[in-house]
Structures are given as structure tokens and as C-alpha cells.
Amino acid sequence: MASELPKYYFRIRENGALCFRVDTENRQRRIEMDPIAHINMRNGEVKPQGDRVLSEEDLAEISAWMRERSELLAWRDIDDIHRAVDYLNITTQWAQSKASPEQLEEVTDALLLAMHDLRSVLVRKKADRLLDDKS
């Protein structure tokens, strides 16, 4: 039993997507993908392709996709940060037990500067949150 294709396909781009309407109901039974809109996730803009007028169904599907995409991207952002914490711990263990003096010389300054910068930002943001909580 073949699965049914979705009515819409979203080709992910750097800052959004290109939305296609998927059509298999043609004489050749081929999959046709008709581009219907450009989506900009940064500003939420949806531009119809050419002179096309988007239907209510088109707009509803695009809006739903944009919400889901925003949630996925937000989840990926925090997942990346959790991975960075893991990498910091792995890097600490490497520096403690495996790194040669030459390897440490190669990365120490860059790591110290990056960690100092990160620490400065985190301390400032923590202080801001504490002051906001007291207000």
C-alpha cells in the first residue's frame, strides 16, 4: 500500500523556504511540484510566487509550517548549547589527561579568550536577571 504524498512541500532555504503545492492528479500520474510562495522566517513574510493568489488553505498550511519550523529551530538552538557544555567537559578531560604540550600551546589562548568572553556575557546576563527579579 503506497503512502499518500502531502499536499505541500517546503524546500528549506537559508532564511525560510520555498513552498510548493504537490500534485499527483494529472494524466501522467507524475508528481508535479508547483512553486506557490517564498517564505522569510526572519520577518514572517510570505510572498506569493509570480501573480499567484494564495488560498486560505495555502496560507493555513504555510502558517502551520512556519510555527513548526520556529519551534524546531528554537529546540536546535538549545540542543546546540547543551552539546557545547558536553564539548567543554570533553575538552577539559582532554586537556587534563591526553593533550601534549604542543597541542595545548596551539589551543590555549583561543580557548581562554572564548571562555573569558562567554563567562563575561553569562555573568552580566545573570546579574541583569537577578536585578530584574528584585524589581
Side-chain angles (χ1 to χ4, degrees):
M1 183 168 134
S3 63
E4 189 173 315
L5 291 174
K7 285 183 162 185
Y8 296 88
Y9 170 74
F10 296 86
R11 181 193 299 157
I12 306 298
R13 295 166 35 140
E14 183 70 28
N15 296 317
L18 181 58
C19 179
F20 295 86
R21 190 176 299 121
V22 178
D23 178 22
T24 57
E25 300 299 322
N26 54 62
R27 292 191 317 184
Q28 295 84 18
R29 299 291 293 162
R30 293 183 181 163
I31 298 172
E32 293 182 7
M33 294 185 2
D34 183 24
I36 64 170
H38 289 274
I39 301 165
N40 185 323
M41 291 296 292
R42 273 199 193 141
N43 61 16
E45 186 175 59
V46 176
K47 287 185 182 176
Q49 182 80 6
D51 293 333
R52 180 177 305 279
V53 175
L54 299 175
S55 70
E56 290 298 318
E57 180 184 14
D58 295 339
L59 292 170
E61 288 289 331
I62 290 169
S63 293
W65 180 86
M66 290 174 73
R67 279 191 305 280
E68 291 170 13
R69 184 73 179 162
S70 292
E71 290 170 9
L72 175 64
L73 293 175
W75 177 84
R76 284 181 180 169
D77 280 348
I78 197 68
D79 185 57
D80 286 346
I81 301 307
H82 287 293
R83 287 174 192 259
V85 172
D86 289 349
Y87 287 134
L88 283 171
N89 284 305
I90 290 167
T91 302
T92 302
Q93 185 60 33
W94 169 82
Q96 178 78 34
S97 63
K98 295 180 184 178
S100 70
E102 295 79 20
Q103 290 172 318
L104 286 172
E105 186 62 35
E106 183 178 331
V107 298
T108 296
D109 290 343
L111 280 169
L112 286 172
L113 288 169
M115 291 186 318
H116 175 75
D117 186 30
L118 175 60
R119 184 182 182 284
S120 298
V121 170
L122 292 174
V123 167
R124 186 176 66 249
K125 293 288 192 170
K126 178 80 171 190
D128 291 347
R129 288 193 312 275
L130 289 172
L131 288 174
D132 288 346
D133 287 346
K134 290 181 180 182
S135 300

